[in-house]
Amino acid sequence: MQTPASMVMGIVFAPLGLVLVFMAAITPQWREGQTQLVGVAGAEPRLLLRTDGLWESCLQVAHSELKQCWPVEGAYQSDPQVRLAQGLVLSSLFLCGAGIVLASVGVRCWTDLPLRSVAAAGGLLVALSGLLSLTALGVYTHNLGILGMEQTPPHRPHHRLPQLTLHPAGSLYFGWVGGCVQVVGGMALLLSFKIRPRCPSCTSCCSLLKNKQDTEVYDVSY
């Protein structure tokens, strides 16, 4: 039996969304900002680029290869919104992985009869993972300019910078796309629970039974 198009769509979109959300989670470009660093008299000011992710922050001198990254710390690390986003993203990755496993078992492309309830359960997990990803991204984006701004870590003075104008960076866009793809893939798998294409063998059996019922029987007496 041919696999329903909705199942194929779901089993393709779910891993794609997982990869995009994972890339967004591990890269330190959720927000970025730049500022001018004024040096000693006679020296040209340098443009510093600051980027923050969920687990790593980076500082780079513009137009050079000077770059330093370190694990998030201090007020940014302990910010409740950042910790909430971290937990939601990790939960999303776990649910999406479990949903893909269930969907793969349910689709069963190597057999004639897929396990639609199992595939739908996998789709539900994938859709929920997408909603968790989008929630984490929404929380982070809404509070982007104030995350970790209450105080500056005193034990790392060379990371203290003048006031930055922060704005969303590339990893956020990867995450938004990945979360939407997860939701679409999960909904496609859920939709396949209602779509039940006819089995060719069952269709032929039904047609034979119908023809048998329509056949007239004559009683011939000698």
Side-chain angles (χ1 to χ4, degrees), residues 183-197:
V183 173
V184 172
M187 294 301 294
L189 289 169
L190 281 172
L191 181 63
S192 66
F193 182 73
K194 293 185 177 181
I195 300 176
R196 296 179 178 271

Side-chain angles (χ1 to χ4, degrees), residues 110-171:
W110 59 91
T111 63
D112 290 337
L113 297 176
L115 301 175
R116 297 182 180 278
S117 58
V118 177
L124 179 62
L125 293 182
V126 173
L128 288 177
S129 71
L131 293 177
L132 290 178
S133 300
L134 295 177
T135 302
L137 292 160
V139 169
Y140 192 96
T141 303
H142 180 71
N143 301 282
L144 185 143
I146 60 174
L147 294 175
M149 292 301 177
E150 290 79 5
Q151 60 182 4
T152 305
H155 59 283
R156 194 180 285 268
H158 56 285
H159 287 157
R160 288 185 289 182
L161 301 172
Q163 185 66 34
L164 296 173
T165 301
L166 299 168
H167 52 86
S171 297

Side-chain angles (χ1 to χ4, degrees), residues 13-216:
F13 274 39
L16 178 59
L18 176 64
V19 170
L20 291 173
V21 173
F22 179 74
M23 289 178 60
I26 64 175
T27 51
Q29 283 90 31
W30 281 55
R31 69 177 184 179
E32 62 184 5
Q34 60 184 26
T35 186
Q36 292 282 349
L37 182 62
V38 180
V40 296
E44 296 182 358
R46 293 187 175 185
L47 181 64
L48 293 182
L49 305 177
R50 168 72 178 263
T51 59
D52 293 312
L54 290 182
W55 285 277
E56 191 177 39
S57 298
C58 292
L59 188 64
Q60 181 178 9
V61 179
H63 310 297
S64 71
E65 297 181 357
L66 296 177
K67 184 177 182 179
Q68 183 180 5
C69 296
W70 63 93
V72 294
E73 59 180 3
Y76 180 79
Q77 181 188 23
S78 59
D79 192 293
Q81 309 301 331
V82 175
R83 299 180 71 87
L84 176 61
Q86 290 174 340
L88 289 174
V89 168
L90 290 177
S91 300
S92 171
L93 293 174
F94 175 77
L95 282 181
C96 191
I100 291 172
V101 173
L102 282 178
S104 300
V105 174
V107 170
R108 300 204 316 171
C109 298
W110 59 91
T111 63
D112 290 337
L113 297 176
L115 301 175
R116 297 182 180 278
S117 58
V118 177
L124 179 62
L125 293 182
V126 173
L128 288 177
S129 71
L131 293 177
L132 290 178
S133 300
L134 295 177
T135 302
L137 292 160
V139 169
Y140 192 96
T141 303
H142 180 71
N143 301 282
L144 185 143
I146 60 174
L147 294 175
M149 292 301 177
E150 290 79 5
Q151 60 182 4
T152 305
H155 59 283
R156 194 180 285 268
H158 56 285
H159 287 157
R160 288 185 289 182
L161 301 172
Q163 185 66 34
L164 296 173
T165 301
L166 299 168
H167 52 86
S171 297
L172 273 183
Y173 301 115
F174 274 107
W176 283 111
V177 174
C180 293
V181 170
Q182 285 177 328
V183 173
V184 172
M187 294 301 294
L189 289 169
L190 281 172
L191 181 63
S192 66
F193 182 73
K194 293 185 177 181
I195 300 176
R196 296 179 178 271
R198 293 183 177 180
C199 175
S201 58
C202 296
T203 304
S204 60
C205 291
C206 292
S207 61
L208 289 175
L209 289 175
K210 183 178 181 182
N211 292 334
K212 185 176 180 180
Q213 292 175 355
D214 295 340
T215 303
E216 297 181 359

